Amino acid sequence: MAHETSVLVICEHELLGEGLAARLASMGIQVLVTTAHNDHSVVLALRGRPDVVIIESTDPACIERVRALSPTSRVVDATRSIGRGYPTETMRFEAILDALPVNPQPEALA
Amino acid sequence: MSEPTRILLVDDQPLFRGAIAALLAGQPDMEVVGEAENGLLGVEAAHALRPDLVILDVEMPVMNGVEAVRLIREQVMDVKVIMLTVSDVEDHVLDALRNGAHGYLLKDLRPEQLYDMIRSVMRNETPISPGVAGRLLREIRQGSSKPRVTSPAAQPEQSVTRRELEILRLVAEGLSNKEIAKRLVITEGTVKNHVHNALEKLHMDNRIQAAAYVIRQGLGAPSGEPTGR
């Protein structure tokens, strides 16, 4: 049976987290979203050992927790994609796609 | 069924922009017709695409959202503009509203709140994030510490009547027309007329701009009068 790619989004801004989830879900990827401040929810979600964890949290302990509880997950730090000012480097959705173990079908990217 | 609201997204962060576009794509009454990555490109896109609504970030390179909203409102007819930002800096809020923004929202909203606020602005309401509204009201209650003379009408007392100014002060306190009517013992329709006339004289589009104007001009209630609710 083929492995179904799973993604966990841990976010401080639900607009970003739910929006990323909507984008990934439209490609047939299983996505779970949890808010970064809900420790219990984060721990529970990490028990599922998602393939990829997208983090949007200014708390550095968040990444440490993910690495400790789900060491096999690939981590994408999207924290700088929302916040004050404007960074010189911008993060693109392709960075998330690159982290997926199996790239989605090309037509899904259109 | 009515046509969906045609929306232009302007934000320098592509990941956030794409996230919002994906969320709005799930709403049958909304359609994202374009995206732009800074204020200047946003103004150009607003010209080219003629959206019903522009959702504008504030802090962006090349041209910020506060300047962009001014140009869009000056140059593009019949377009609504909502600021969607992490910035709750008072100057940004007030300047954006004075420049013609129809709403000021923070990015800590839940998706359902964003949908509701988009729909409310299309009903000619003026949505403000609760956190921002609270800051505005605090400033009103404390009195403006930074009065400026940059309003469309430099001496409002020459054009706005005393009664209209009195009502604008209450608008700036955050009172609804119904609450103002009750306080002044007049009908709600009369309040509505006074607000409408005052906005026309001041060349403003909505009561939030009027509230910002009262704060900026230091026209809050004279000392001794209650300013709280």
Side-chain angles (χ1 to χ4, degrees), chain A residues 13 15 19 81 83-87, chain B residues 12-13 19 23 59 86 88 107:
Chain A
H13 293 86
L15 285 180
S81 62
R84 293 185 184 279
Y86 40 89
Chain B
D12 59 321
Q13 288 295 342
L23 287 173
E59 295 180 282
V86 293
D88 57 0
K107 287 179 177 175

Side-chain angles (χ1 to χ4, degrees), chain B residues 91-111:
Chain B
D91 281 353
H92 286 165
V93 179
L94 294 170
D95 289 344
L97 293 171
R98 284 172 51 79
N99 283 353
H102 296 84
Y104 198 101
L105 310 179
L106 298 180
K107 287 179 177 175
D108 60 4
L109 293 174
R110 295 193 310 277

Side-chain angles (χ1 to χ4, degrees), chain A residues 14 20 26 33 36 40 42 50 53-54 58 61 65-66 80-81 88 101 105-107 109:
Chain A
E14 286 185 53
L20 290 177
S26 71
V33 182
H40 181 65
V42 169
V53 180
I54 302 169
T58 51
R65 174 178 292 166
V66 171
R80 292 180 64 194
S81 62
T88 51
Q105 296 298 312
E107 59 267 29
L109 294 172

Side-chain angles (χ1 to χ4, degrees), chain A residues 36-47:
Chain A
H37 58 78
N38 188 338
D39 292 344
H40 181 65
S41 173
V42 169
V43 170
L44 276 181
L46 287 170
R47 281 190 192 159

Side-chain angles (χ1 to χ4, degrees), chain B residues 59-74:
Chain B
E59 295 180 282
M60 292 183 287
V62 185
M63 179 189 289
N64 68 32
V66 173
E67 179 64 9
V69 67
R70 186 180 67 79
L71 293 174
I72 290 171
R73 295 285 283 118
E74 278 178 5

Side-chain angles (χ1 to χ4, degrees), chain A residues 5-28:
Chain A
T5 300
S6 60
V7 175
L8 170 65
V9 183
I10 303 173
C11 61
E12 288 181 356
H13 293 86
E14 286 185 53
L15 285 180
L16 179 68
E18 294 291 350
L20 290 177
R23 251 184 120 169
L24 290 164
S26 71
M27 298 172 178

